[in-house]
Amino acid sequence: MAAATMLDSGCPRRNPGGPLEAKAGCLHVSGQNQMTTETRETDQAYRERADRYAAASAGCAARSRAISHGRLVCFLAAGAAFIWLLDPGGPVPLQLTLAVVLTLGFFGLVLYQNRVNFRCRWYGDLSALNEEGLARRARDWGALPYDDSIIGDPDHPFADDLDLFGRASLFSLLGTVATAPGAATLREWLLEPADTTTIAQRQSAVAELSPLIDLRQEATTRGRMIHGATPASLERFLGWAESDPWLPARRWVIWTARTLVVVTFTLVALNIMGIVSYLAWLAALAVNLAFSYTVGKQVHHIFDRAFARESKYQRYAEIFKLVTTASLTAPRLQQLQTEMAGGGIPAYRQLERLHRILSLAEVRFSMPYVAIQAFTLWDFHVLARLESWQVTAGRQARGWLRALGEFDALAALAGLRFDNPGWAFAEVGPFDPAGLSATDLGHPLLNDEARVVNDVKLGPPGTFLLITGSNMSGKSTLLRAIGANVALARAGGPVCAAAMRLPPLALETSMRVHDSLQAGLSHFMAELERLKRVVSAARRAPGPGTLLYLLDDIFQGTNTVERRTAARKVVAHLLQAGAIGAVTSHDLALAETDELSAACDAVHFTECVEETADGPRITFDYKLRPGIATSKNALKLLEIVGLDSSDAETEGGAAP
């Protein structure tokens, strides 16, 4: 349930990646080793693939070095052949043939080495991706790539409380998402619930994609090769693709250009036949150039807009091709493939067509451009083709990106299931009475060795789960385990449980509450604002269904008597509103009222304290037990960190 906790030289120290660790023999924690044959096979699969791709990358690197030597030999030999060609008495045909062949061989080796170097990088990236798979399995957050641009909304009800974003987070655990649309989609799914039909469709797609590791890893690797394709740059491309084209409102421009070209070539033909003077077609060329530099001044500006935006989008063509040509059977995956082939032409072919058109526009940077433009008015014809693409395909581009983002998010959830084959899909439905139940529920951010699992039940409405226990016993981690798994279930992904059943849920939490100097809020007022939002959400009819609340040791910023009274009122409001949830507390008397005692389902964590020659030794097993906690450990912790607890004991003991 909880990870290890540690005290080092009397001071708690938090691991940069997440939970606390045990150290120095002061505390001992009991993890539950959940390594199974399936998870070992997953580790072996990643290890074998990482080694295989690393060997392939090394082989390509060796080949590239050999090609470099061959290039050098060809270059020197070609140079010698050209020097030999200067010999006036030599066999010129042989000299020339040898020089040309060696020169062509040199450039051929350059092209071949570029291909080999690409494969070297490709295999290296695939090897690194499988090494990341092992790091994700071990929850080694420092070894995983981290994109600090993907952050949660600081005002979101539960993103920070449940560690949805950040280095050690659910988003990092789903780190195979590799495209900007995919990251945006996955972020939205973690924050906002889907309806039951959508969840079922996503679960089916995730189940099919999970074993397709080659497809998923190739899509991820190609996505990571796309640099600079930020949501803002993609939006600029979509802005151009969806904008109104320039020519349709000026049809006379393209028809004038076509007419001028016909007239020009007609005059050239007549001149060849001796009917007109060459001055006639020279005059036509002058008219054409004048037309280009006046009416056509806007054309190059349009080309520049299209180039600046297409260059980032074009890199998605390979991923579109990979996805649309894959053999997939899940209904949602087939629907996404259809959306990537709107109008019957796949997105990757439309992007290839766009790239070819813009390649034609690059003629304006070539030496013979002026002559080509003068004779053919080239730019106007290329613009007509470009805007034809804009009208027929540009309006579909946003749908292609949305479908790609959903596929990328589904593939990331599928990677999570592949990494954790023992995890289950939650059963989500309008159950009556509404309630959440889970078997062997654990925290998804803890690795198999550290994770301890528990059976959990919340609901039906009119009841709440009261979790008590001493310091560091696992209360907060249990709440986060419940919330993180609910977020995964609502996204359509697997949950860290053997089985889970829940209704459509709105989710509200109050765990990590921070004061705000800028907003002028003390910790107590910040917590009041958070709890006000929770109670308000319970009072109004929640859109997605029943409200699930998770409250961690609320009202810490006030005295014991007022704290107990205030907490009771909050819980009573939530019960009356029909919400379900869990509350942790050190106050063992919180539920000692007629109303709350009848609604309270009390569970607790405990610890074992034993005296050793080195002082007290505390052991946690993080297993839930029925009833209210009876143990305390605050004074024992004082002794462990080297503080004298005798004065506190004589003054009436310590709070649990």
Side-chain angles (χ1 to χ4, degrees):
M1 207 22 268
T5 314
M6 75 161 209
L7 292 177
D8 184 5
S9 303
C11 298
R13 183 179 60 151
R14 186 168 290 278
N15 182 3
L20 301 174
E21 298 177 333
K23 191 172 182 181
C26 303
L27 304 176
H28 173 73
V29 299
S30 172
Q32 177 169 316
N33 190 331
Q34 294 184 323
M35 289 290 287
T36 64
T37 301
E38 288 180 316
T39 54
R40 291 190 184 92
E41 289 176 352
T42 300
D43 287 343
Q44 291 173 2
Y46 278 131
R47 181 76 275 151
E48 290 171 0
R49 291 173 67 86
D51 292 345
R52 183 170 76 250
Y53 287 127
S57 179
C60 287
R63 189 183 309 164
S64 179
R65 289 191 295 270
I67 296 171
S68 294
H69 297 151
R71 284 175 54 183
L72 179 60
V73 170
C74 270
F75 179 79
L76 295 176
F82 277 107
I83 293 173
W84 186 31
L85 188 60
L86 298 176
D87 181 7
V92 175
L94 177 61
Q95 293 170 318
L96 184 60
T97 300
L98 187 60
V100 170
V101 168
L102 288 171
T103 301
L104 293 176
F106 172 78
F107 285 109
L109 287 175
V110 170
L111 295 175
Y112 180 49
Q113 187 175 34
N114 288 339
R115 292 177 57 188
V116 171
N117 288 340
F118 175 81
R119 299 309 296 179
C120 183
R121 291 192 300 272
W122 175 261
Y123 289 133
D125 289 346
L126 284 171
S127 178
L129 189 58
N130 283 277
E131 293 286 358
E132 288 174 20
L134 291 169
R136 281 196 309 275
R137 289 273 305 116
R139 306 303 192 261
D140 183 0
W141 306 109
L144 294 174
Y146 175 57
D147 183 359
D148 57 7
S149 67
I150 306 297
I151 58 174
D153 181 354
D155 295 324
H156 192 273
F158 55 80
D160 181 54
D161 285 350
L162 303 182
D163 298 307
L164 297 189
F165 305 99
R167 178 167 292 280
S169 66
L170 276 184
F171 198 89
S172 288
L173 196 61
L174 295 162
T176 57
V177 64
T179 65
T185 299
L186 185 59
R187 181 183 183 278
E188 178 185 348
W189 287 3
L190 290 176
L191 294 176
E192 301 296 333
D195 58 64
T196 55
T197 301
T198 301
I199 290 173
Q201 291 177 342
R202 291 178 187 171
Q203 289 176 345
S204 175
V206 168
E208 180 174 355
L209 289 174
S210 178
L212 303 181
I213 186 170
D214 289 326
L215 173 64
R216 291 189 289 102
Q217 290 195 343
E218 184 173 351
T220 298
T221 303
R222 291 195 179 280
R224 290 184 177 182
M225 288 181 173
I226 302 172
H227 301 291
T230 63
S233 67
L234 292 176
E235 189 59 39
R236 286 194 292 272
F237 169 79
L238 295 174
W240 167 77
E242 296 170 344
S243 64
D244 294 329
W246 184 74
L247 280 176
R250 303 165 181 83
R251 299 300 300 174
W252 64 272
V253 172
I254 188 62
W255 285 111
T256 300
R258 291 168 179 169
T259 302
L260 289 175
V261 171
V262 171
V263 170
T264 300
F265 279 95
T266 300
L267 292 174
V268 169
L270 292 175
N271 175 239
I272 294 173
M273 291 185 291
I275 299 175
V276 298
S277 168
Y278 71 92
L279 294 177
W281 59 264
L282 286 179
L285 295 184
V287 172
N288 291 350
L289 289 176
F291 184 73
S292 296
Y293 288 107
T294 54
V295 178
K297 187 180 296 185
Q298 180 70 13
V299 175
H300 285 187
H301 175 65
I302 296 173
F303 286 163
D304 290 338
R305 284 185 63 204
F307 264 110
R309 287 143 178 81
E310 181 267 350
S311 59
K312 304 298 183 186
Y313 197 101
Q314 173 63 28
R315 299 175 187 175
Y316 285 106
E318 287 295 329
I319 310 180
F320 283 124
K321 183 177 182 179
L322 181 69
V323 176
T324 53
T325 57
S327 178
L328 302 171
T329 59
R332 186 57 192 152
L333 294 176
Q334 290 185 334
Q335 185 175 350
L336 293 178
Q337 288 179 314
T338 300
E339 291 175 10
M340 293 184 198
I345 302 176
Y348 74 90
R349 292 197 181 279
Q350 292 282 25
L351 287 176
E352 289 171 353
R353 177 183 164 220
L354 174 62
H355 190 65
R356 287 194 298 270
I357 294 171
L358 288 177
S359 296
L360 296 176
E362 290 185 315
V363 167
R364 71 189 192 276
F365 300 121
S366 65
M367 291 290 291
Y369 166 68
V370 175
I372 294 173
Q373 182 68 12
F375 275 98
T376 67
L377 293 172
W378 180 266
D379 289 343
F380 293 98
H381 309 303
V382 173
L383 179 62
R385 292 189 63 185
L386 178 63
E387 293 193 340
S388 173
W389 183 95
Q390 190 179 8
V391 170
T392 58
R395 303 294 195 275
Q396 303 173 38
R398 188 178 297 275
W400 299 338
L401 270 185
R402 188 207 58 75
L404 178 62
E406 184 168 340
F407 176 86
D408 198 7
L410 289 170
L413 293 172
L416 182 65
R417 187 166 194 245
F418 179 85
D419 292 349
N420 304 276
W423 293 13
F425 285 114
E427 183 183 356
V428 184
F431 306 119
D432 188 21
L436 180 152
S437 61
T439 303
D440 291 342
L441 180 82
H443 199 305
L445 300 186
L446 299 176
N447 62 36
D448 294 340
E449 288 78 9
R451 186 185 304 121
V452 178
V453 298
N454 287 284
D455 295 345
V456 175
K457 183 177 182 300
L458 302 179
T463 66
F464 74 103
L465 187 69
L466 176 62
I467 308 167
T468 57
S470 54
N471 298 288
M472 303 185 301
S473 60
K475 302 184 300 297
S476 300
T477 305
L478 176 61
L479 289 191
R480 291 192 174 91
I482 295 170
N485 281 296
V486 168
L488 284 172
R490 301 192 318 171
V495 295
C496 183
M500 190 172 184
R501 190 171 185 266
L502 67 156
L505 290 173
L507 182 59
E508 294 282 348
T509 65
S510 179
M511 298 183 194
R512 294 184 180 125
V513 179
H514 307 287
D515 54 7
S516 173
L517 183 64
Q518 182 178 3
L521 291 178
S522 66
H523 181 279
F524 181 70
M525 282 303 299
E527 187 171 28
L528 283 179
E529 290 293 333
R530 179 78 71 89
L531 291 171
K532 177 183 177 182
R533 182 166 59 190
V534 176
V535 173
S536 298
R539 283 175 173 167
R540 63 177 179 265
T546 304
L547 175 72
L548 170 66
Y549 59 88
L550 302 170
L551 310 181
D552 188 22
D553 207 13
I554 57 176
F555 295 122
Q556 298 179 56
T558 189
N559 63 77
T560 303
V561 175
E562 290 185 318
R563 175 183 183 181
R564 178 179 299 166
T565 302
R568 285 173 174 172
K569 287 184 177 181
V570 169
V571 174
H573 279 303
L574 294 172
L575 290 173
Q576 292 170 3
I580 63 173
V583 179
T584 70
S585 180
H586 284 85
D587 186 357
L588 305 184
L590 175 64
E592 290 181 358
T593 67
D594 292 341
E595 180 182 10
L596 297 188
S597 62
C600 172
D601 181 9
V603 293
H604 72 280
F605 292 103
T606 189
E607 73 289 320
C608 177
V609 181
E610 59 179 307
E611 296 294 336
T612 68
D614 297 326
R617 178 182 175 85
I618 300 181
T619 302
F620 299 97
D621 65 7
Y622 303 121
K623 297 300 292 184
L624 273 180
R625 295 168 172 81
I628 296 290
T630 57
S631 62
K632 307 174 183 178
N633 69 6
L635 298 184
K636 292 298 181 183
L637 291 174
L638 283 176
E639 293 182 38
I640 289 175
V641 300
L643 298 176
D644 187 2
S645 62
S646 59
D647 292 340
E649 289 176 339
T650 58
E651 292 177 7

